Amino acid sequence: MDVSSATALAHPNIALIKYWGNSDDEWTIPANGSISLTLGGLFTRVQVTVDKALIQDQLFLEGEVASEAAQVRVRQFMDHVRRFSGKQMFCRIESTSNFPRGSGIASSAAAFAAMALAAAKVYGLPTDPCELSRLARLGSGSACRSIYGGFVEWIAGIDHQSSYAIPLAPKDYWDLVDCVAVVSTEHKAVSSREGHRLAKTSPLQPCRVQTASQRIERCRRAILERDFGQLAQVVELDSNLMHSVMMTSQPPLFYWRGETLIIMEEVRRWRNQGQPVCYTVDAGPNVHVLTLAAHAEWVREKLSQIAGVKGVIVAAPGEGAVLV
Amino acid sequence: MDVSSATALAHPNIALIKYWGNSDDEWTIPANGSISLTLGGLFTRVQVTVDKALIQDQLFLEGEVASEAAQVRVRQFMDHVRRFSGKQMFCRIESTSNFPRGSGIASSAAAFAAMALAAAKVYGLPTDPCELSRLARLGSGSACRSIYGGFVEWIAGIDHQSSYAIPLAPKDYWDLVDCVAVVSTEHKAVSSREGHRLAKTSPLQPCRVQTASQRIERCRRAILERDFGQLAQVVELDSNLMHSVMMTSQPPLFYWRGETLIIMEEVRRWRNQGQPVCYTVDAGPNVHVLTLAAHAEWVREKLSQIAGVKGVIVAAPGEGAVLV
């Protein structure tokens, strides 16, 4: 039986091995596989409600009518839901988050993971995680990883059927913590979506993609063996590789700022002094500093003291998407 | 007739298409070709004097006995000179420069270009530019370009005979000016020599190398057509590509600092506003800002106003190596 409304909650994730560029932009089939950690404490809640009076979907963000660009993106996602379910109804979609936009934490992953689950429930689509992961991917690539909690791998695949995330280890497997040093809350000038399309204009993207499976393998082993030293090496390398592709695409995308470089240098210095820390940077200037739970307070304190750091958000591993 | 002493003078150069990594480290055969502009006003003067009392070469920098590392490097170069000439004599070698070390301008290119010419004279080796370029390359790769003035291309080649520089256009062909924004005068932690050896540990080096000939072609055409817009695109891309390889080698080499990024961003902004400016960064944090002579004073003034810029060195195209 179909329901007329469902609400789901999902967490953002931080990629340890990065997704950047698609082999198929239309179906969001990534150029390479990726690995992420789902972040607890931070969440997006999405309510999907059928409204027979509507002739198109209506998106509300934090209680306000969303921008036209956001509406279009959500309607395209819901078109997939309608096609898969064979049901032509439109919905009111309400999304709220407990973390600020521009906090350096991608909100689209949590939003589309929650939306996929709530919409699947409302439209009577299968709600097993593998199906949900494929569906969420159509909204935002990295959303396919937020279906699962803990440590997650996205199998690149070659088409819609073969491209989805799988769980690598549950959230309690390893007490990693992500300390996000926020240096800017400005909204980024180039969206990740547009950035993914530019990846293929970098002369370096083929080399990054061709060597990604080795890094996936190293990262997976580091997680399963809880080997922070190995994790640090491959996570920083992979982040630097993605930014290399960004900065050499045409036009170039520079997400790093002066403070970003300074924090990255500090993190390497702390690690040389014996601290279990490493950095990873997404499509923005803020720096995600990974450490072990016992060291999180020290890292938070040290990051706060760096000039230009406006705040530090601390997140431990979180659960997968759930209905509420 | 051999002479017992000769003095030569040569200028440093700034690479527009970068040399980074060798296909043969022992013979300094580069992984890819490169293009540079010889910089006038700045020079290194080297006097090579046979001293029959010596049992090994003695290097003096600015009148003082050089470090052991510098002595070893110069003796290895002079061993080539002895082998090629069949003469076993040792020399006192005195080098002086009119520009400070750590100014962001590589001193080894000017020094080995001048040393190659002075030593060839003293040891009776051929002094035609092509032979001198090969010889200078054995001291420091980029020195092979400083044999010529103006715009110079280094043909990568595959062995000692086929790897040398050729002139592309004389110094008066185009009134480019290099404004070097000095943000640090600290000596670099990793030498360029060591860096070249690390290049092959970056997953990105094959992609950079495989696409270099396209950039050589674009840069050569931009110079010959005096097309600043085209030059700017390819010069900045190529600089970003080299730093991408550096930052993703193992261990990573980060030469950029916060100020480096800020200046690069400013330069892109000025160009978007219509100024003929572009940047290129060598193995250090200082930023070379290229512009046309008529705009050099404006660029110098703007660079001076950026926080963290300790000075600006302005250099116009210069001549090749000469005996004095």
Side-chain angles (χ1 to χ4, degrees):
Chain A
M1 189 197 76
D2 296 354
V3 290
S4 67
S5 182
T7 302
L9 180 151
H11 301 281
N13 67 74
I14 175 68
L16 306 177
I17 300 295
K18 303 295 191 188
Y19 156 49
W20 194 249
N22 295 317
S23 65
D24 181 334
D25 284 320
E26 193 189 337
W27 287 92
T28 318
I29 311 302
N32 60 279
S34 52
I35 291 181
S36 63
L37 175 62
T38 301
L39 300 175
L42 313 167
F43 62 81
T44 297
R45 184 194 306 264
V46 176
Q47 181 168 18
V48 174
T49 307
V50 174
D51 184 338
K52 291 193 173 147
L54 291 176
I55 55 163
Q56 59 181 359
D57 307 303
Q58 286 281 10
L59 174 66
F60 297 83
L61 293 176
E62 310 302 334
E64 310 211 340
V65 176
S67 69
E68 191 55 25
Q71 300 279 0
V72 167
R73 187 167 175 187
V74 161
R75 285 169 195 155
Q76 286 174 345
F77 172 73
M78 293 297 287
D79 286 344
H80 286 295
V81 172
R82 279 182 281 272
R83 198 156 40 77
F84 291 146
S85 67
K87 294 174 185 161
Q88 291 309 312
M89 57 212 191
F90 295 100
C91 293
R92 193 169 66 249
I93 298 162
E94 291 154 290
S95 174
T96 56
S97 291
N98 76 338
F99 58 101
R101 290 181 73 179
S103 61
I105 296 160
S107 50
S108 63
F112 279 104
M115 204 180 305
L117 176 49
K121 192 76 187 166
V122 166
Y123 284 76
L125 290 172
T127 55
D128 65 280
C130 189
E131 277 298 339
L132 285 178
S133 181
R134 288 189 188 96
L135 181 59
R137 195 196 74 239
L138 298 173
S140 173
S142 56
C144 79
R145 299 186 306 235
S146 276
I147 296 297
Y148 294 98
F151 299 85
V152 183
E153 178 175 342
W154 177 6
I155 312 290
I158 53 166
D159 56 16
H160 181 61
Q161 202 58 24
S162 57
S163 187
Y164 52 84
I166 57 169
L168 281 184
K171 79 184 181 89
D172 299 326
Y173 187 80
W174 195 14
D175 59 351
L176 280 193
V177 171
D178 182 10
C179 302
V180 190
V182 178
V183 300
S184 170
T185 54
E186 265 178 54
H187 208 64
K188 50 194 171 192
V190 177
S191 72
S192 298
R193 274 223 147 174
E194 182 54 24
H196 283 294
R197 289 176 192 267
L198 285 178
K200 61 175 72 67
T201 69
S202 165
L204 303 179
Q205 173 75 342
C207 280
R208 192 190 72 86
V209 168
Q210 280 157 25
T211 54
S213 61
Q214 300 164 22
R215 291 187 299 281
I216 289 270
E217 183 64 35
R218 281 172 66 191
C219 183
R220 198 194 289 127
R221 198 176 330 134
I223 291 167
L224 295 179
E225 295 175 1
R226 302 184 186 88
D227 182 338
F228 196 92
Q230 283 299 317
L231 185 81
Q233 296 297 328
V234 74
V235 164
E236 291 190 358
L237 171 61
D238 196 79
S239 175
N240 295 340
L241 287 168
M242 180 178 74
H243 285 272
S244 293
V245 168
M246 291 165 161
M247 294 186 289
T248 57
S249 64
Q250 294 159 71
L253 297 175
F254 276 78
Y255 289 107
W256 292 351
R257 299 202 177 187
E259 294 90 341
T260 313
L261 265 185
I262 289 166
I263 297 169
M264 286 160 55
E265 194 178 329
E266 280 292 276
V267 168
R268 286 193 302 268
R269 203 167 60 81
W270 297 339
R271 188 164 71 254
N272 286 339
Q273 293 169 353
Q275 290 287 331
V277 284
C278 69
Y279 66 77
T280 186
V281 183
D282 273 352
N286 303 320
V287 184
H288 293 252
V289 182
L290 301 172
T291 188
L292 298 171
H295 301 255
E297 182 49 30
W298 184 88
V299 170
R300 197 195 59 71
E301 180 67 24
K302 294 290 277 186
L303 287 174
S304 306
Q305 290 164 6
I306 297 175
V309 171
K310 294 178 177 163
V312 181
I313 297 170
V314 178
E319 299 282 7
V322 288
L323 286 167
V324 289
Chain B
M1 189 196 78
D2 296 353
V3 291
S4 66
S5 182
T7 304
L9 180 151
H11 301 281
N13 67 75
I14 175 68
L16 306 177
I17 300 296
K18 302 296 191 187
Y19 156 49
W20 194 247
N22 295 318
S23 64
D24 181 333
D25 284 322
E26 194 189 338
W27 287 91
T28 318
I29 311 302
N32 59 278
S34 51
I35 291 181
S36 63
L37 175 62
T38 301
L39 299 175
L42 312 167
F43 62 81
T44 298
R45 183 193 306 262
V46 176
Q47 181 168 18
V48 174
T49 306
V50 175
D51 185 339
K52 293 196 169 141
L54 291 177
I55 54 163
Q56 59 181 359
D57 306 302
Q58 286 280 9
L59 175 66
F60 297 83
L61 292 177
E62 310 301 333
E64 308 210 341
V65 176
S67 70
E68 191 56 26
Q71 299 280 359
V72 167
R73 187 167 175 188
V74 161
R75 286 170 194 154
Q76 286 174 346
F77 172 74
M78 293 297 289
D79 285 344
H80 285 295
V81 173
R82 280 182 281 272
R83 198 156 39 77
F84 291 145
S85 66
K87 295 175 184 160
Q88 290 310 310
M89 57 213 188
F90 296 100
C91 293
R92 192 167 69 247
I93 297 163
E94 291 154 289
S95 174
T96 55
S97 291
N98 76 338
F99 58 101
R101 290 181 72 176
S103 61
I105 296 160
S107 50
S108 64
F112 280 103
M115 205 181 305
L117 176 50
K121 192 78 187 164
V122 167
Y123 284 76
L125 290 172
T127 55
D128 65 281
C130 189
E131 277 297 338
L132 285 178
S133 181
R134 287 190 189 96
L135 180 59
R137 194 195 75 238
L138 298 172
S140 173
S142 56
C144 79
R145 298 186 306 235
S146 276
I147 295 297
Y148 294 98
F151 299 85
V152 183
E153 178 175 343
W154 177 6
I155 312 289
I158 54 167
D159 56 17
H160 180 61
Q161 202 58 23
S162 57
S163 187
Y164 53 84
I166 56 169
L168 281 185
K171 79 182 180 88
D172 298 325
Y173 187 79
W174 194 13
D175 59 350
L176 279 192
V177 171
D178 182 9
C179 302
V180 191
V182 178
V183 301
S184 170
T185 54
E186 267 179 52
H187 208 62
K188 49 195 171 192
V190 177
S191 72
S192 298
R193 272 224 147 173
E194 182 55 25
H196 282 294
R197 289 175 192 270
L198 285 178
K200 58 176 73 67
T201 69
S202 165
L204 303 179
Q205 174 75 343
C207 280
R208 191 189 72 86
V209 168
Q210 280 156 26
T211 54
S213 59
Q214 299 163 24
R215 291 187 299 281
I216 289 271
E217 183 64 36
R218 281 171 65 190
C219 184
R220 198 193 290 128
R221 198 173 333 133
I223 291 167
L224 296 180
E225 296 175 0
R226 302 184 186 89
D227 183 338
F228 196 92
Q230 283 299 317
L231 185 82
Q233 296 297 327
V234 73
V235 164
E236 291 190 358
L237 171 61
D238 196 79
S239 175
N240 295 339
L241 287 167
M242 180 178 74
H243 285 272
S244 293
V245 168
M246 291 165 161
M247 294 186 288
T248 57
S249 64
Q250 293 160 70
L253 298 175
F254 276 78
Y255 289 106
W256 291 352
R257 300 203 176 184
E259 294 89 344
T260 313
L261 265 186
I262 289 165
I263 296 168
M264 286 160 55
E265 194 177 329
E266 280 292 275
V267 168
R268 286 194 301 269
R269 203 167 60 80
W270 297 340
R271 189 165 69 255
N272 286 338
Q273 292 168 355
Q275 291 288 330
V277 284
C278 70
Y279 65 76
T280 185
V281 183
D282 272 352
N286 303 321
V287 184
H288 294 252
V289 181
L290 300 173
T291 188
L292 298 173
H295 300 255
E297 182 49 33
W298 184 89
V299 170
R300 197 197 58 71
E301 180 66 26
K302 293 292 277 186
L303 287 172
S304 306
Q305 290 164 5
I306 297 176
V309 171
K310 295 179 177 163
V312 181
I313 297 170
V314 178
E319 298 284 5
V322 288
L323 286 167
V324 289

